[in-house]
Amino acid sequence: MCANDYAADDIGWGLLLRRGEAANAYLWRSGRLRGYCVLIHRGAPHVAEPTDLSEADAAAYWRDTLALGRALTAFYEPVKLNFSTLGNVVPHLHSHICPRYAGDTDPAPGGPLPWDVLDNGRQDEAQLQADAAALRTLMEHA
């Protein structure tokens, strides 16, 4: 993640939705959950934990997180959003934001998402591009 080109609109793994105050929001290509996004801190210096941020930088990261969450809620109308800030594999501050859906449209109704739901498979590229365009519009007008 440290080597990402944060000026690019497409980093391979995901499509840029918004360059926020402290982090970039991406609609992720991998997995089988429509609307799966990753928010990646792009500030200097490099940090692995939100606790490494100053109060002002932490507030900016949280504002970016909320802006993404609000856009996902408005567009996908999930029953819940899951916010995960992990970094066990990649020690760079980033958060996974996952819409959760009702009934049989959710891959793990009522339970935690298995990692393979987020990591295995690919999103339909045409749908991904259309969703990204709609989410960008929502985030621009927020």
Side-chain angles (χ1 to χ4, degrees), residues 27-98:
L27 185 59
W28 225 234
R29 279 193 170 93
S30 69
R32 300 181 310 274
L33 182 68
R34 186 172 174 211
Y36 170 36
C37 289
V38 177
L39 185 79
I40 303 174
H41 183 264
R42 63 166 196 287
H46 170 270
V47 297
E49 303 294 341
T51 54
D52 294 336
L53 296 171
S54 69
E55 292 293 320
D57 289 342
Y61 187 81
W62 188 241
R63 283 190 297 272
D64 292 341
T65 304
L66 293 176
L68 177 56
R70 287 181 179 123
L72 292 174
T73 298
F75 185 68
Y76 294 107
E77 300 179 346
V79 296
K80 174 80 176 87
L81 291 177
N82 289 167
F83 295 84
S84 299
T85 302
L86 303 172
N88 302 326
V89 175
V90 180
H92 182 105
L93 178 58
H94 66 287
S95 299
H96 303 257
I97 296 94
C98 303

Side-chain angles (χ1 to χ4, degrees), residues 5-6 8 11 14-17 24-28 36-38 40:
D5 177 1
Y6 292 111
I11 60 169
L15 299 174
L16 180 71
L17 300 176
N24 286 1
Y26 297 94
L27 185 59
W28 225 234
Y36 170 36
C37 289
V38 177
I40 303 174

